């Protein structure tokens, strides 16, 4: 009987189609056509289903991210209906019409793994025969009670009736005439069943056991899971298999009675390894490496010369696993290899090209020997052992490849020297002796393998460690000798050497820390062999013979410097410069002069100041000088052309951020270069070859000039770093190499920082810049002029006297003295304004700092960078404060809530800050925006006297260039909108009232609010008028400063009113009205005398009459009750008094608390001014008559009160 094979097809929407393999053959189609029956009916005659449709009911929206794997076999769950036939079949399920599928994917709302099933888990028991019921009771016992209870608890749920009819069954549905009529039937629905949740695990690959018992799942966490499909549980997990794919391999086991055995084959693409594991339990059976781009495939077929097993439906087929090993990434060389799980070995079936991946499956015994040695050398072992035990374990290893790797293990083991009292390399010498013996035996036994990879590799390892031991013994031999610390004569110091020592002293004075406090390594103790061996790198170039091996130190700078401390320590002695050269000679890199000098420079950077001073700069013909001179001369005499090794030291000095030691190293290099120059010049001159002598002199002079130029650049960096110590100069540490990157540093920022150290007052700084431009005491630190002692001493003194307040540059030591070409007022003011503004926003309590920043902003010329700077101050300093004030401190990193929140409660602080914000807005609105990058005089490359380009090399200011690049044009309407809000906030805390007057206030002060068109009201609004009147009242109440002689005090109110469409005359009239209502007549009397052209006369006259009536009415009522004016009451005009009373009661003052208790004489003066104003404005004669009557009434009352007094 041929085993049944199905083809499964899944779709994104959850549809599944299962086809019988026979339905794909043309012969079946032809037989059905001859018989005039469909393929469905034809296969049904043989008890087969040709086609079946299923539908996985996936959650909506997740279909695209989910994968569906149909399962070949169904296992009932505990909720499945209990069938009596199952009991009769001894537990074998008869649920042939149920189907299952695994669903997984990357959707966040979907489980890690879910089993979808067509099983009717909401089954309701039907009446059955008594005999059947008794049989179930007897066989199932308590199990039936448990299942029945679960079913009873779920009985309320809606059961779903599914179509499970076979294609051959008859029904009433009209089916079209097709080869597969069943395709038109309702699909079998699969609903979510058991779920597996394990966030953040995401299943990436699934492989089903051909028997349908297990599923191998690989995830994104480097795990492979074994899922039991019968119990729906994870039963096993493998770790460390990232980017894994799995297949199953099954074949008849030769050692059993014909039963098949399955294995899981896992390919980890990241580790490039293939592993074979038994399915449910047991250790790894095999593991081997493959090349990148390899893959694993499976194939099924009948066993050869073997009777078919009847164990299961598919036991007649073996499932083989193959490795398609891509030897060449291009695919040109590929080998197909079969994994024989019966013998657990790899057999080549059909190699396409020889030279595939070697089999690396070691014997268990050899592996255990290596693991035993590693265990003995482990620092975390629990057992006690001696060096003899270790050597015994090492001598048991026979494999050449294992010996090669174990040499590394022994050399780098710390326990030999720490715990077993091994002296240096003594144990490694024994190991090398044993390896040499094994290597000789292997070569003598089989001469033909002397060129094999294992022999070659071990030979190189023996030579590698032989050289390391020899170099180590040289260093060890020097360490056993005493270091000569005796007194010695001091040599005469050069100017550069004096300057170097002076910078070290200046550094300690400025930083108030020791010069050696930043050293990372301590020059103490002796070199240990495992430390030296771990730092040496085995050469990867396999073509180099063992005798010509070059051994370099670790690429890690930190690891290399730890070893260099010991290798170059002999240079701190007296007659020991040749020892260091011998070490590099043994390592085979003595002639790599650039690398040797690079190592020397890195070691020099680890020395203490006393070591540099006593053993280098002041010691005549010091070992450091001799070693450096010997290395350069060896390169010179090697015939490779002009010496370039000294360039590696120059490059190191340029990159170093330890500027003081870099200056000392460059000084030493220059002195050695001078010595070599003199010797070479004398030798060339003695040959009488003038042309050769001239060429040599020119070459040496160029080399010396490069070193002196480097020293002058280092001088500038030292001066800037110490003069501005503690300041944030740039995103990278200061070094010559970093400064020469034109996109990293701003010299103008350096000078601006120095100016602010001297003073923050803009006028004082301008005076300082002018004086620095005129002084004759300035010089360039990067010129040869500064090589004289009095010059660099002045630089160092300027660093120690930094921050001294003085308008005289000579006394303050201003940086403008030494960077005079950068004395450009425009860029310097721009940087000062930025620095002050950002300093203020970090501590907004001191508004004087912001005031200084605004003074610098006002001095900027009309240019593109001026516009960009003003825009930057607004967007990053001012606008965030208003955002916090209006919306809270959420998402505003520029200011801290604990600093700004208390200030928002101060009305005085808010008013002063608001007026400053208006100044910045006004400056921004007045500055024209220029598209593109126009060349500007302030940003051109500065030149020193004589046209020489100065150092640092600045073409264009980096910071200002960035601001110009991101600057955008602001909209004038947006500026007006912000002016309205700022002005309004100066006089009112009514945020809701302001929102009704300015509908777009919520969008103000956002990062991009100035760049969008804003809409201001086109017509006057009563709400705006009321807001303005309230603002005028608030302003007038807070106004205390004596008499006012002009309307300039209404500056911010005038801006607000004008942008809302109100005239100045209306605002000024309202202001005078409010002042008189508040009784502040004396403060505005001077304005009132000549206010006619500046106010609305008729409006002011009407309002003034109301104020006079209110005051007189109050006086008449109060004096009547006191009896002060009874003598004149009968003389007053009764009609006029009645009119005054009525006018007083109907008046609507702007001030809620009207000041009516005002002296009569003051009121009389007001009536006289009103009368004059009414006469001059050609007003209503009736009003003038009333004012005249009020003036007479006020005068009468004044006289009466004087007579009463």
């Amino acid at each position: 009987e041929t085993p049944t094979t199905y083809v499964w097809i899944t779709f994104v929407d959850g549809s599944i189609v299962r086809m019988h393999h026979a339905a794909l053959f043309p012969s079946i189609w032809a037989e059905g056509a001859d018989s005039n029956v469909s393929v469905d009916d034809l296969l049904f005659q043989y008890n087969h289903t040709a086609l079946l449709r299923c539908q996985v009911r996936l959650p909506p929206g997740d279909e695209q991210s989910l994968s569906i794997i149909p399962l070949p076999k169904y296992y009932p769950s505990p909720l499945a209906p209990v069938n009596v036939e199952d009991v009769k079949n001894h537990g074998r399920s008869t649920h042939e019409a149920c189907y299952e599928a695994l669903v997984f994917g990357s959707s966040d709302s979907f489980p890690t793994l879910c089993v979808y099933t067509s099983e009717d888990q909401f089954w309701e028991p039907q009446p059955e025969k008594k005999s059947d019921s008794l049989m179930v009771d007897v066989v199932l016992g308590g199990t039936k009670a448990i299942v029945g209870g679960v079913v009873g608890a779920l009985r309320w749920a809606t059961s779903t009736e599914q179509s499970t009819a076979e294609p051959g069954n008859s029904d009433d549905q009209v089916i079209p005439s097709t080869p597969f009529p069943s395709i038109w039937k309702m699909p079998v629905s699969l609903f979510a069943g058991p779920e597996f949740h394990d966030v953040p695990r995401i299943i990436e690959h699934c492989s089903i056991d051909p028997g349908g018992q297990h599923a191998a799942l690989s995830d994104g966490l480097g795990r492979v899971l074994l899922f039991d499909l019968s119990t729906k549980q994870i039963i096993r997990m493998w770790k460390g298999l990232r980017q894994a794919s799995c297949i199953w391999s099954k074949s008849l086991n030769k050692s059993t009675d014909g039963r098949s055995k399955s294995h899981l084959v896992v390919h980890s693409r990241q580790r490039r390894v293939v592993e074979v594991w038994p399915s449910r339990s047991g250790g790894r059976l095999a593991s081997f490496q493959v090349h990148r781009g390899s893959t694993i495939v499976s194939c099924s077929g009948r066993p050869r010369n073997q009777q078919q097993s009847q164990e299961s439906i598919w036991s007649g087929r073996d499932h083989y696993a193959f490795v398609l090993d891509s030897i060449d990434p291009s695919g040109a060389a590929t080998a197909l290899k079969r994994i024989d799980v019966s013998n657990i070995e790899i057999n080549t079936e059909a190699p396409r090209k020889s030279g595939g991946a070697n089999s690396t499956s070691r014997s268990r015994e050899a592996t255990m020997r290596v693991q035993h040695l590693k265990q003995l050398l482990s620092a975390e072992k629990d057992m006690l052992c001696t060096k003899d035990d270790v050597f015994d374990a090492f001598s048991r290893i026979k494999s050449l490849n294992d010996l090669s790797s174990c040499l590394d293990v022994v050399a780098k083991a710390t326990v030999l020297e720490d715990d077993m009292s091994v002296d240096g390399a003594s144990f490694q010498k024994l190991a090398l002796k044993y390896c040499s013996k094994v290597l000789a035996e292997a070569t003598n036994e089989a001469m033909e393998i002397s060129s094999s990879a294992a022999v070659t590799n071990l030979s190189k390892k023996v030579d590698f460690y032989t050289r390391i031991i020899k170099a180590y013994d040289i260093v060890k031999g020097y360490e056993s000798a005493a270091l000569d610390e005796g007194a010695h004569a001091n040599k005469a110091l050069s100017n550069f050497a004096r300057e170097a020592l002076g910078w070290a002293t200046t550094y300690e004075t400025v930083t108030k820390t020791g010069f050696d406090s930043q050293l990372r390594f301590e020059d103490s103790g002796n070199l240990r062999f495992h430390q030296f061996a771990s730092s040496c790198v085995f050469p990867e170039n396999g073509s180099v013979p063992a005798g010509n091996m070059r051994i370099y130190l670790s690429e890690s700078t930190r690891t290399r410097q730890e070893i260099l401390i010991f290798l170059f320590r002999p240079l701190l002695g007296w007659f020991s410069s040749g020892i260091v050269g011998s070490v590099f000679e043994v390592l085979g890199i003595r002639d790599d002069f650039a690398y040797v000098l690079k190592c020397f420079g890195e070691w020099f950077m680890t020395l203490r100041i006393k070591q540099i001073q006593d053993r280098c700069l002041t010691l005549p013909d010091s070992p450091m000088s001799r070693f450096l001179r010997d290395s350069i001369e060896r390169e010179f005499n090697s015939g490779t052309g002009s010496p370039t090794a000294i360039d590696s030291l120059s490059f190191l000095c340029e990159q170093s951020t330890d500027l003081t030691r870099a200056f000392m190293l460059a000084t030493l290099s220059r002195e050695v270069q001078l010595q070599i120059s003199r010797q070479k010049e004398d030798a060339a001159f003695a040959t009488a070859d003038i042309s050769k002598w001239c060429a040599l002199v020119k070459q040496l002079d160029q080399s010396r000039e490069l070193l002196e130029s480097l020293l002058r650049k280092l001088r500038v960096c030292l001066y800037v770093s110490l003069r501005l110590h503690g300041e944030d100069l740039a995103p990278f540490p200061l070094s010559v190499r970093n400064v020469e990157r034109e996109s990293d540093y701003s010299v103008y920022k350096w000078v601006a920082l120095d100016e602010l150290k001297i003073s923050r007052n803009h006028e004082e700084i301008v005076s300082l810049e002018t004086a620095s431009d005129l002084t004759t005491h300035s010089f360039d630190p990067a010129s040869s002029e500064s090589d004289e002692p009095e010059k660099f001493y002045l630089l160092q003194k300027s660093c120690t006297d930094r921050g001294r307040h003085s308008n005289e540059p000579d006394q303050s030591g201003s940086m403008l003295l030494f960077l005079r070409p950068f004395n450009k007022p425009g860029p310097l003011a721009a940087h000062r304004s930025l620095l002050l503004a950002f300093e203020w926003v970090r501590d907004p309590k001191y508004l004087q700092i912001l005031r200084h920043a605004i003074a610098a902003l006002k001095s900027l010329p009309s240019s593109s960078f001026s516009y960009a700077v003003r825009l930057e101050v607004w967007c990053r300093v001012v606008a965030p404060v208003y955002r916090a004030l209006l919306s809270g401190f959420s998402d505003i990193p520029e200011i801290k809530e604990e600093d700004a929140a208390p200030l928002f409660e101060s009305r005085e602080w808010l008013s002063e800050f608001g007026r400053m914000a208006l100044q910045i807005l006004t400056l921004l609105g007045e500055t024209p925006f220029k598209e593109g990058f126009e060349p500007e005089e302030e940003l051109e490359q500065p030149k020193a006297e004589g046209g020489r380009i100065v150092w640092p090399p600045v073409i264009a200011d980096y910071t200002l260039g960035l601001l110009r690049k991101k600057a955008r044009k602001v909209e004038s309407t947006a500026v007006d909108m912000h002016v309205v809000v700022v002005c309004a906030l100066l006089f009112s805390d009514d945020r809701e009232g302001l929102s009704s007057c300015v509908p777009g206030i919520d969008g103000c002060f956002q990062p991009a609010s100035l760049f969008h068109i804003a809409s201001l009201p086109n017509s006057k609004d009563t709400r705006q008028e009321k807001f303005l009147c309230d603002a005028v009242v608030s302003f007038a109440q807070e106004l205390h400063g004596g008499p006012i002689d002009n309307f300039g005090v209404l500056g911010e109110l005038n801006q607000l009113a004008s942008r809302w469409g109100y005239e100045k005359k209306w605002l000024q009239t309202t202001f005078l009205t409010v002042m008189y209502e508040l009784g502040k007549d004396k403060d505005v009397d001077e304005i009132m005398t000549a206010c006619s052209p500046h106010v609305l006369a008729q409006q002011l006259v009407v309002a003034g009459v109301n104020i006079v009536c209110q005051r007189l009415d109050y006086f008449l009522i109060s004096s009547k009750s006191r009896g002060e004016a009874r003598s004149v009451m009968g003389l007053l005009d009764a009609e006029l008094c009645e009119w005054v009373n009525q006018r007083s009661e109907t008046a609507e003052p702007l001030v809620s608390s009207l000041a009516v208790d005002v002296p009569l004489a003051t009121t009389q003066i007001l009536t006289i001014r009103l009368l004059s104003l009414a006469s001059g404005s050609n007003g209503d004669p009736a009003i003038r008559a009333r004012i005249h009557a009020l003036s007479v009434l006020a005068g009468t009352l004044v006289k009466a009160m004087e007579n009463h007094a």
Side-chain angles (χ1 to χ4, degrees), residues 302-319:
R302 286 184 176 277
R304 299 174 183 174
N305 303 326
Q306 186 174 312
Q307 294 185 355
Q308 183 173 327
S309 172
Q310 301 299 324
E311 178 185 5
S312 67
I313 193 170
W314 61 279
S315 60
R317 292 180 179 271
D318 278 354
H319 288 257

Side-chain angles (χ1 to χ4, degrees), residues 670-690:
R670 175 186 172 275
E671 292 181 353
V672 171
Q673 187 72 19
L674 281 176
Q675 295 175 10
I676 297 176
S677 299
R678 296 190 186 100
Q679 294 176 2
K680 295 299 179 182
E681 289 175 10
D682 294 342
F685 188 77
T687 61
D689 189 346
I690 301 301

Side-chain angles (χ1 to χ4, degrees), residues 993-1149:
L994 182 59
S995 299
S996 63
C997 298
V998 187
I1001 187 175
D1002 294 335
C1004 290
F1005 307 108
Q1006 299 301 319
S1009 58
L1010 283 179
F1011 311 124
H1012 303 294
I1013 298 176
S1015 58
L1016 288 172
N1018 295 326
S1019 58
K1020 297 179 182 179
D1021 192 337
T1022 55
R1023 293 173 296 183
Q1024 296 174 354
E1025 183 174 342
K1026 182 180 182 304
F1027 188 91
L1028 277 174
C1029 292
D1030 293 341
V1032 172
V1033 171
S1034 174
F1035 173 73
Q1037 288 175 340
E1038 297 178 358
L1039 192 60
H1040 302 286
I1044 302 172
D1045 57 357
N1046 58 68
F1047 290 106
V1049 294
L1050 300 177
E1052 293 82 11
L1053 283 172
N1054 268 327
Q1055 293 188 54
L1056 178 59
S1058 64
R1059 282 169 173 79
W1060 274 346
Y1062 289 88
E1063 298 179 3
K1064 283 187 177 182
K1065 288 185 176 183
W1066 176 87
L1067 179 67
Q1068 293 166 1
T1069 301
T1070 304
F1071 171 69
L1072 289 176
T1073 302
V1074 171
M1075 292 295 287
Y1076 279 112
E1077 286 181 352
L1078 293 174
K1080 297 184 177 182
D1081 300 36
K1082 294 182 179 180
D1083 292 344
V1084 293
D1085 275 346
E1086 190 172 347
I1087 298 180
M1088 195 66 175
T1089 57
C1091 68
S1092 179
H1094 308 292
V1095 297
L1096 301 175
Q1098 295 299 326
Q1099 178 181 337
L1100 183 57
V1101 167
V1102 173
V1105 169
N1106 290 338
I1107 294 172
V1108 171
C1109 289
Q1110 288 169 326
R1111 292 181 182 180
L1112 292 177
D1113 184 61
Y1114 172 79
F1115 175 79
L1116 292 174
I1117 294 174
S1118 60
S1119 62
K1120 185 177 180 181
S1121 62
R1122 297 193 301 269
E1124 296 177 347
R1126 290 181 181 179
S1127 59
V1128 296
M1129 290 300 289
L1131 302 177
L1132 300 178
D1133 187 351
E1135 181 184 356
L1136 180 60
C1137 292
E1138 181 65 23
W1139 181 82
V1140 168
N1141 179 259
Q1142 292 178 0
R1143 187 86 175 194
S1144 174
E1145 291 178 354
T1146 58
E1148 295 180 357

Side-chain angles (χ1 to χ4, degrees), residues 632 636 642-643 670 672-682 684 692-708:
I632 298 175
F636 204 100
S642 59
R670 175 186 172 275
V672 171
Q673 187 72 19
L674 281 176
Q675 295 175 10
I676 297 176
S677 299
R678 296 190 186 100
Q679 294 176 2
K680 295 299 179 182
E681 289 175 10
D682 294 342
K692 179 180 179 182
W693 179 82
C694 292
L696 181 62
V697 169
K698 181 178 179 181
Q699 174 185 339
L700 295 175
D701 286 345
Q702 289 177 348
S703 179
R704 185 184 71 254
E705 289 175 358
L706 289 176
L707 283 173
E708 291 179 351

Side-chain angles (χ1 to χ4, degrees), residues 344-355:
I344 309 299
E345 63 182 8
I346 304 175
N347 299 327
T348 302
E349 290 284 358
R352 300 181 184 178
K353 186 175 180 179
S354 61

Side-chain angles (χ1 to χ4, degrees), residues 661-895:
R661 287 185 174 82
F663 193 93
M664 294 178 174
L665 178 58
T667 300
L668 174 63
S669 303
R670 175 186 172 275
E671 292 181 353
V672 171
Q673 187 72 19
L674 281 176
Q675 295 175 10
I676 297 176
S677 299
R678 296 190 186 100
Q679 294 176 2
K680 295 299 179 182
E681 289 175 10
D682 294 342
F685 188 77
T687 61
D689 189 346
I690 301 301
S691 59
K692 179 180 179 182
W693 179 82
C694 292
L696 181 62
V697 169
K698 181 178 179 181
Q699 174 185 339
L700 295 175
D701 286 345
Q702 289 177 348
S703 179
R704 185 184 71 254
E705 289 175 358
L706 289 176
L707 283 173
E708 291 179 351
S709 175
L710 173 60
L711 282 166
R712 291 161 189 153
K713 294 177 181 180
L714 288 169
R715 176 189 297 143
V716 175
C717 291
L718 276 166
Y719 167 69
V720 172
S721 64
L722 295 178
R723 174 77 181 178
L724 301 178
H725 177 70
E727 298 291 343
D728 183 17
L729 301 179
F732 303 100
L734 197 63
S735 69
V736 173
R737 179 69 61 175
N738 289 339
V739 170
E740 289 182 341
R741 295 175 184 170
E742 296 175 357
S743 61
D744 293 341
Y745 285 85
S746 171
V747 183
Y748 292 110
K749 179 182 177 181
W750 297 350
V751 180
L753 281 169
D754 185 68
E755 289 178 334
L756 293 178
K757 288 287 185 181
I758 299 172
S759 174
R760 294 178 178 176
N761 185 279
H762 178 70
E763 300 301 329
E764 293 181 356
I765 293 177
V766 170
S767 300
L768 179 65
E769 291 174 352
T770 304
S772 299
D773 198 38
L774 299 176
T775 184
T776 58
H777 299 285
S778 63
F779 59 89
D780 183 9
S783 66
S784 57
E785 176 188 4
S786 301
D787 298 343
E788 299 300 324
E790 61 272 12
K791 300 297 184 181
F792 61 72
Y793 285 157
L794 184 60
L795 283 173
Q796 295 166 0
K797 186 176 183 297
S798 173
C799 295
T800 56
D801 295 343
R802 62 196 185 104
R804 177 182 295 179
H805 181 84
S806 176
N807 291 338
E808 295 296 330
D810 299 345
Q811 298 179 6
S812 63
S814 171
M815 192 175 285
L816 292 169
L817 283 174
F818 314 114
L819 298 178
R820 185 173 178 178
F822 297 92
N823 189 355
K824 300 292 183 180
L828 293 179
H831 278 285
R832 286 201 308 275
S833 60
L834 292 172
L835 293 169
L836 288 170
F838 292 141
E839 179 186 354
W840 172 83
V841 82
R842 290 191 295 267
D843 189 5
K845 180 170 58 175
Y846 302 103
L847 288 170
Q848 185 63 28
I849 299 177
L850 184 59
R851 189 174 290 109
H852 291 319
I854 295 174
L857 286 175
K858 290 180 178 179
S859 68
L860 296 179
S862 178
S863 59
S864 59
F865 81 84
S866 302
Y867 175 88
V869 170
R870 290 167 179 169
L871 181 62
E872 181 76 359
V873 172
W874 172 264
C875 293
R876 293 190 56 189
V877 176
V878 180
V881 177
Y882 276 107
R883 281 207 308 274
L885 178 64
L886 297 176
S887 307
F889 291 89
S890 178
D891 298 330
I892 302 180
E894 290 87 352
I895 57 177

Side-chain angles (χ1 to χ4, degrees), residues 610-678:
K610 185 172 179 56
Q611 293 174 328
I612 298 176
Q613 179 177 349
D614 295 345
R615 300 286 171 174
C616 176
L617 296 181
T618 63
L619 184 65
D621 197 22
S622 65
M624 296 185 201
S625 301
R626 294 200 301 271
F627 174 80
L628 194 57
R629 184 173 62 250
D630 179 62
S631 299
I632 298 175
E633 287 180 344
R634 284 170 62 92
E635 183 188 18
F636 204 100
N637 298 329
S638 63
T640 57
S642 59
T644 59
I646 196 67
D647 295 340
S648 61
L649 286 180
S650 300
F651 184 77
L652 180 65
C653 294
E654 290 176 355
Q655 284 191 317
S656 177
T657 58
D658 188 348
L659 298 173
T660 311
R661 287 185 174 82
F663 193 93
M664 294 178 174
L665 178 58
T667 300
L668 174 63
S669 303
R670 175 186 172 275
E671 292 181 353
V672 171
Q673 187 72 19
L674 281 176
Q675 295 175 10
I676 297 176
S677 299
R678 296 190 186 100

